[in-house]
Amino acid sequence: MSEWKELELYWMEKSNFKDNVLLTKRNLHLRCGKAIKQIQISGHKIRSCQRDDRLIIHYHLIRTYFIKDHQSFYHEQDAEHRKAEFVDKQLKTDILLENKKIELTEVNKIIPSESSKRFGYDRRAAVQYAQTWWNDANPAYQYFEDNDCTNYISQCLRAGGAPMHGAPNRSKGWWYNASSWSYSWSVANAFRWYLSGATSGLKGEELSEPTQLLLGDIICYDFEGDNKWNHTTIVVAKDDANMPLVNAHTNNSRNRYWTYEDSAAWTPNCKYLFFRIGD
């Protein structure tokens, strides 16, 4: 049996909820009155390296969950970059490659900047972009392999018609060009404070409840509850309870339940901010 085939069988076995991540996800859905009816596993090899009796395989794993949600069904997906190590053709370790944390931009360095331009937010276009690129990188933009979540969200908002302003000052406004970009474009903490401070152009109105969010709106996450905002998602659908389903990069997710309680980064101290986008 080839090492790659053994890896496929390994994940087929884990898909029977013999994995802590999958157990956590199943329990989260059960608490919401849903059920994971089926899990499909797919993936592809990125690269491999033979070192004496050891074979190291870097690969991309994609899981698709078929979810029964009260009276309807939908698919949730996630993707991970993993590394497996075989010794004498036997699988010894398989680990998720953690994304490196990038330095947070200080709040007092973020200047929202003013733009008199109003825009009609095309929510459908933003969501279509989010669904197209949820597990891929648009070559028209820089890709941040270690932490791409806010870069991806900014691209979605730009696809929905959000106006850029503030260039070339990286600490001002929200903007991107081929060689540079604002901190607010790519850093979750800076983006959160930009949305709160902007009064025109791209701006965010804070909402009190997730059920108030519309498709194309934004959720910001402070996983540790220390006022350092770590993550950003975009609402792409609603479930039968009118709760948001979100897309994100790092790790790539599609139609994920908004609370992120099934994430290794989540803690009981997690804080959320809900932003309505557009005028």
Side-chain angles (χ1 to χ4, degrees):
M1 182 188 302
S2 71
E3 289 87 352
W4 184 246
K5 184 63 177 178
E6 183 175 342
L7 203 53
E8 290 178 339
L9 293 175
Y10 168 79
W11 278 108
M12 286 176 64
E13 177 70 12
K14 277 184 169 288
S15 68
N16 292 320
F17 298 105
K18 297 181 178 180
D19 177 79
N20 287 336
V21 172
L22 299 183
L23 281 171
T24 300
K25 186 177 289 291
R26 181 183 68 176
N27 292 338
L28 171 61
H29 284 298
L30 286 173
R31 291 200 303 272
C32 299
K34 307 178 187 182
I36 300 176
K37 307 299 290 185
Q38 184 180 1
I39 303 175
Q40 294 181 343
I41 302 292
S42 62
H44 64 269
K45 189 185 302 183
I46 299 173
R47 64 182 181 275
S48 60
C49 177
Q50 185 77 50
R51 297 176 181 172
D52 299 325
D53 62 343
R54 293 191 304 145
L55 175 66
I56 298 174
I57 298 177
H58 288 249
Y59 67 101
H60 198 63
L61 175 73
I62 301 174
R63 289 178 289 227
T64 301
Y65 310 90
F66 189 58
I67 297 171
K68 186 178 187 301
D69 179 12
H70 298 88
Q71 302 302 315
S72 63
F73 294 86
Y74 69 90
H75 288 93
E76 177 184 344
Q77 293 179 290
D78 58 38
E80 296 176 343
H81 183 191
R82 305 188 68 91
K83 181 177 75 172
E85 181 176 347
F86 294 82
V87 178
D88 293 329
K89 297 189 175 183
Q90 297 296 313
L91 179 63
K92 296 299 181 182
T93 62
D94 180 86
I95 61 172
L96 171 67
L97 294 181
E98 297 290 345
N99 299 291
K100 299 175 184 177
K101 290 187 177 181
I102 60 177
E103 183 179 355
L104 294 173
T105 303
E106 294 296 330
V107 172
N108 59 12
K109 292 183 179 179
I110 303 302
I111 306 169
S113 178
E114 290 300 323
S115 169
S116 59
K117 183 176 181 180
R118 296 172 62 89
F119 79 103
Y121 185 37
D122 189 338
R123 296 177 178 277
R124 181 178 179 182
V127 170
Q128 285 179 334
Y129 186 98
Q131 299 289 38
T132 298
W133 297 103
W134 81 270
N135 194 32
D136 205 352
N138 185 343
Y141 293 95
Q142 178 74 27
Y143 174 65
F144 302 93
E145 184 175 358
D146 294 328
N147 199 327
D148 196 60
C149 70
T150 305
N151 176 48
Y152 164 71
I153 296 303
S154 288
Q155 292 174 35
C156 296
L157 294 171
R158 183 62 180 155
M164 298 188 294
H165 57 92
N169 187 339
R170 298 194 68 195
S171 297
K172 189 174 183 179
W174 176 83
W175 57 271
Y176 179 96
N177 62 41
S179 60
S180 188
W181 46 87
S182 64
Y183 294 122
S184 59
W185 180 278
S186 62
V187 180
N189 196 55
F191 179 73
R192 171 260 184 272
W193 289 106
Y194 168 79
L195 283 183
S196 288
T199 58
S200 60
L202 173 61
K203 59 182 181 179
E205 175 191 354
E206 292 187 31
L207 305 176
S208 59
E209 299 293 337
T211 52
Q212 296 174 294
L213 292 166
L214 304 176
L215 304 195
D217 284 340
I218 299 299
I219 304 177
C220 296
Y221 300 75
D222 169 10
F223 287 127
E224 293 85 14
D226 57 2
N227 291 318
K228 296 178 180 178
W229 298 82
N230 320 100
H231 190 51
T232 319
T233 67
I234 183 170
V235 179
V236 295
K238 289 291 198 75
D239 69 10
D240 281 359
N242 197 33
M243 286 294 186
L245 305 177
V246 299
N247 280 20
H249 275 191
T250 323
N251 293 309
N252 299 348
S253 301
R254 175 176 174 267
N255 290 344
R256 188 173 191 163
Y257 192 72
W258 70 274
T259 63
Y260 259 70
E261 293 170 74
D262 54 344
S263 167
W266 187 87
T267 75
N269 297 321
C270 184
K271 297 178 182 178
Y272 307 91
L273 277 178
F274 312 113
F275 284 105
R276 170 67 45 76
I277 299 299
D279 291 319

